[in-house]
């Protein structure tokens, strides 16, 4: 149920077309809640049918012209309700961790190389998040909106920091494993 709320959030920040939403997701919300172009368009249709958003009137009606959407009062009320509602944390589901557990039973062939690959991916993501932090949150940007957006970014930075540290530790453990782990 979170994709419609992500879209409502993005549209409240700035009325947008589906294409613009997709681009904005790729640059911000998509770091922690991803959606494909098709999912966004499908959800826009549902939100419009439910009376939560509306297509803005275009200046010149033309076939195939992109529609821009804005949030209606009912959409804002739904986002307020959802934001205030309690929600339990979701349990961690990570394929890499499951594969390591399986490796204890069937052997670790290929895992060490994939751990290195994951480490590189997390290092790159961490570097990207730090660049965003430098660019978008210089000292003195401390409005309530900026502070909350920065808090979300800090979660990403902290998670990537955790994964880079954990993967470094995991690779050190692999270096100490007996040579024959293929079982």
């Amino acid at each position: 149920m979170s994709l419609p709320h992500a879209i409502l959030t993005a549209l409240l920040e700035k009325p947008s077309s589906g294409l613009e939403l997709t681009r904005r997701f790729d640059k911000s919300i998509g770091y922690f809640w991803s959606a494909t172009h098709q999912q966004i368009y499908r959800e826009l249709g549902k939100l419009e049918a439910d009376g939560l958003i509306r297509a803005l009137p275009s200046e010149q009606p033309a076939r195939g012209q992109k529609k821009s959407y804005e949030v209606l009062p009912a959409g804002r009320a739904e986002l307020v309700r959802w934001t205030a509602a309690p929600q339990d944390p979701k349990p961690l589901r990570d394929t890499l961790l499951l594969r390591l557990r399986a490796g204890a039973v069937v052997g670790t062939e290929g895992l060490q190389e994939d751990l290195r690959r994951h480490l590189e991916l997390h290092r790159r993501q961490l570097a990207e998040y730090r660049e965003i932090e430098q660019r978008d949150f210089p000292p003195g940007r401390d409005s309530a909106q900026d502070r909350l957006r920065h808090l979300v970014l800090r979660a990403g930075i902290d998670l990537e920091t955790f994964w880079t540290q954990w993967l470094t530790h995991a690779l050190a453990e692999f270096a100490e494993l007996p040579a024959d782990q293929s079982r």
Side-chain angles (χ1 to χ4, degrees):
M1 181 88 161
S2 294
L3 179 57
H5 298 100
I7 291 171
L8 287 171
T9 299
L11 288 175
L12 279 169
E13 291 174 339
K14 180 182 177 192
S16 304
S17 69
L19 181 58
E20 291 165 338
L21 278 173
T22 300
R23 289 180 180 149
R24 288 177 51 213
F25 261 66
D26 289 345
K27 293 179 182 175
S28 62
I29 292 173
Y31 285 117
F32 57 90
W33 197 269
S34 62
T36 66
H37 188 72
Q38 293 83 4
Q39 289 171 315
I40 289 172
Y41 272 94
R42 192 169 40 246
E43 206 56 55
L44 284 169
K46 290 178 189 175
L47 290 167
E48 189 173 24
D50 291 344
L52 302 179
I53 65 171
R54 73 173 179 132
L56 292 169
S58 62
E59 294 168 16
Q60 297 177 344
R63 186 177 172 97
Q65 186 177 12
K66 67 180 180 181
K67 291 188 208 176
S68 286
Y69 295 90
E70 70 176 355
V71 177
L72 295 170
R76 177 182 279 281
E78 169 53 24
L79 191 58
V80 167
R81 183 208 60 77
W82 179 78
T83 301
Q87 186 174 24
D88 292 338
K90 300 289 183 212
L92 176 64
R93 292 178 57 175
D94 190 284
T95 306
L96 180 61
L97 298 177
L98 183 57
R99 290 174 52 222
L100 282 171
R101 181 69 183 247
V105 178
V106 298
T108 60
E109 186 176 334
L111 282 172
Q112 189 170 14
E113 294 81 19
D114 205 34
L115 287 171
R116 284 189 192 102
R117 186 179 70 81
H118 277 249
L119 178 58
E120 181 55 32
L121 292 170
H122 285 286
R123 282 180 175 157
R124 277 192 244 147
Q125 189 64 64
L126 178 58
E128 185 175 345
Y129 284 163
R130 287 185 172 148
E131 286 175 23
I132 292 169
E133 184 177 42
Q134 291 255 311
R135 181 190 70 221
D136 294 350
F137 299 100
R141 259 191 99 172
D142 60 353
S143 71
Q145 287 181 331
D146 285 335
R147 291 176 74 172
L148 291 174
R149 288 180 182 126
H150 192 194
L151 191 59
V152 172
L153 179 62
R154 282 299 320 168
I157 290 170
D158 292 348
L159 283 169
E160 295 303 329
T161 299
F162 161 78
W163 280 113
T164 57
Q165 291 172 347
W166 182 84
L167 287 159
T168 300
H169 175 77
L171 286 165
E173 287 289 326
F174 260 79
E176 296 180 19
L177 292 176
D180 183 21
Q181 288 293 308
S182 58
R183 292 186 199 239

